[in-house]
Amino acid sequence: MIKLGDIVKEVLIEGGNVFGGTSPIKKQFIDPTINMFINELSRIYPKKASSFRSFEKLGSAGKKPISGDIDLAYDIENLMPKGKPDLTGWNIDPYEFSQAVEKIQKRARTATLEQSQLRAMIEFIGNNINQATDNIQTDLKQSTAGSLFCKAIQYNSEGEDLNATVQIDINVGDPKWLRFSYHSSTYKGNVKGLHRTQLLVALFDHKGKMFKHAQGVLDRETRELEAKTPEETLDLINRLYGIKLDQSTLDDYFKLIDYLKKNLADDDLNGIYDKYLKILDSTRADIPEDLQQYWVQNKERLGLKGKFLPDDSKLKQYIQ
């Protein structure tokens, strides 16, 4: 069984708003807002100013007229070059850092030392941002070892404050992996980029694996990293299910779901559907139209609440 905690963590990483009061952002304001975000971070961390210019937009940001939030990729080498924490570059006291890592390891006994160190760095950086500026707010309770959730002011191209804020998520990891894990080649109807990625989460969970947005694919029991590149991920899915997916199919929700319907046994397909709908039940997104009938038929069995369905969802009529 997939654990609720694992579901929530993955959903928060993609498509989940952790701040109250943030607003969607129009396409034309995304780049000016990111530029001002970079300027403020550069003021706080001048030694890292050049690294912030390497931020890369992920997912649907800038591809649609309006985005709910902004996901940015940030190379883990900027925080932990060759796996070693850059405490000097981020102005972190070594003693305080070691104490923080020790506390994190006591709380998260399955985490590796490197994961605990990264989590500690994100906590120090987030705390410092909160103390250094009123223009950016971070949420450290929801931030993970791979992401820092920020609430930032929206700006137009003239640098004017739009009197609105947007959630900006800094996702730390290998940029190639982050591009893949947040990618979707098609946005159509009520399907967002997160629908493709969360389908991957369900596919792997059904076979006892964990798809991590910032890391790769891990075995749930051993925590061994089994895939850390798009090519390894494709190969692992094909081996687990005895199928022959290609990369373009894996990158497209509609192609992927159609392929699964045609090539998987009913037990596997329904098991994936069950996990997928439970995951979507915890995120602010509609259920893809091709799965809405299955959602209605299995709502009670799966304990689906529909709490986060958008107001215009056709499934709203089934929510008491």
Side-chain angles (χ1 to χ4, degrees):
M1 290 289 290
I2 191 169
K3 296 179 181 179
L4 180 59
D6 290 335
I7 292 176
V8 171
K9 288 177 183 176
E10 289 303 319
V11 167
L12 283 172
I13 290 174
E14 184 187 25
N17 293 100
V18 303
F19 296 97
T22 57
S23 303
I25 185 168
K26 293 182 179 179
K27 182 178 180 179
Q28 65 266 32
F29 300 141
I30 289 179
D31 285 342
T33 296
I34 292 174
N35 286 335
M36 296 299 284
F37 182 70
I38 289 172
N39 290 342
E40 189 68 352
L41 290 179
S42 298
R43 182 186 66 79
I44 299 168
Y45 288 108
K47 295 177 184 177
K48 292 293 180 178
S50 61
S51 74
F52 299 134
R53 295 292 166 186
S54 69
F55 279 146
E56 182 178 339
K57 294 192 290 289
L58 296 171
S60 63
K63 297 177 181 178
K64 301 188 301 181
I66 296 178
S67 297
D69 57 11
I70 301 172
D71 281 298
L72 300 175
Y74 191 56
D75 196 330
I76 192 171
E77 289 294 308
N78 294 315
L79 274 76
M80 300 185 64
K82 298 182 180 180
K84 302 296 182 182
D86 180 12
L87 303 183
T88 302
W90 292 96
N91 300 324
I92 299 174
D93 179 85
Y95 176 75
E96 293 181 359
F97 180 75
S98 66
Q99 294 294 105
V101 171
E102 185 177 338
K103 289 180 180 179
I104 290 170
Q105 289 194 294
K106 288 180 179 179
R107 296 198 309 263
R109 297 184 183 277
T110 61
T112 65
L113 175 60
E114 186 171 336
Q115 289 170 340
S116 297
Q117 290 174 330
L118 179 58
R119 175 61 197 243
M121 290 198 73
I122 288 176
E123 289 184 359
F124 275 100
I125 292 167
N127 273 321
N128 193 35
I129 290 172
N130 287 340
Q131 294 171 12
T133 181
D134 293 327
N135 294 337
I136 301 173
Q137 175 188 345
T138 69
D139 187 317
L140 296 177
K141 289 184 178 180
Q142 302 295 351
S143 293
T144 69
S147 299
L148 178 62
F149 298 127
C150 305
K151 178 179 180 179
I153 296 172
Q154 294 190 30
Y155 293 91
N156 63 19
S157 57
E158 285 73 43
E160 297 170 332
D161 184 339
L162 296 175
N163 196 31
T165 57
V166 65
Q167 181 172 320
I168 300 179
D169 300 341
I170 301 174
N171 302 283
V172 181
D174 176 1
K176 182 179 180 181
W177 173 260
L178 290 169
R179 287 184 214 111
F180 166 74
S181 68
Y182 282 83
H183 178 67
S184 179
S185 59
T186 304
Y187 300 89
K188 185 171 63 176
N190 69 347
V191 171
K192 301 180 179 181
L194 68 85
H195 286 101
R196 172 263 185 184
T197 307
Q198 299 301 345
L199 181 55
L200 294 185
V201 174
L203 270 166
F204 281 112
D205 181 71
H206 183 63
K207 292 294 185 177
K209 313 298 179 184
M210 302 169 66
F211 182 92
K212 295 293 186 181
H213 285 69
Q215 295 174 264
V217 183
L218 290 75
D219 182 86
R220 188 187 303 124
E221 297 299 325
T222 67
R223 292 302 198 269
E224 179 184 354
L225 184 63
E226 298 189 0
K228 59 181 180 180
T229 68
E231 296 79 12
E232 290 174 353
T233 303
L234 177 64
D235 180 63
L236 181 57
I237 286 181
N238 284 333
R239 285 190 285 110
L240 289 171
Y241 286 95
I243 54 179
K244 296 181 179 181
L245 281 170
D246 58 32
Q247 196 67 56
S248 66
T249 301
L250 194 64
D251 289 345
D252 187 309
Y253 168 82
F254 296 98
K255 290 181 180 179
L256 179 56
I257 200 74
D258 185 59
Y259 184 94
L260 297 177
K261 290 176 182 178
K262 293 177 180 177
N263 291 278
L264 293 188
D266 287 345
D267 285 350
D268 274 336
L269 190 61
N270 292 334
I272 293 166
Y273 285 171
D274 289 355
K275 293 180 184 299
Y276 187 48
L277 293 182
K278 287 181 181 180
I279 292 169
L280 292 182
D281 202 47
S282 298
T283 191
R284 298 183 187 281
D286 204 356
I287 305 302
E289 292 181 0
D290 59 306
L291 289 179
Q292 290 194 357
Q293 183 177 358
Y294 189 91
W295 187 97
V296 172
Q297 293 172 342
N298 295 277
K299 174 180 177 293
E300 298 301 325
R301 177 177 66 85
L302 296 175
L304 304 175
K305 305 298 183 183
K307 180 180 177 182
F308 299 116
L309 289 171
D311 292 338
D312 60 353
S313 173
K314 296 177 182 178
L315 298 177
K316 275 289 190 180
Q317 61 182 306
Y318 300 100
I319 307 301
Q320 297 180 349

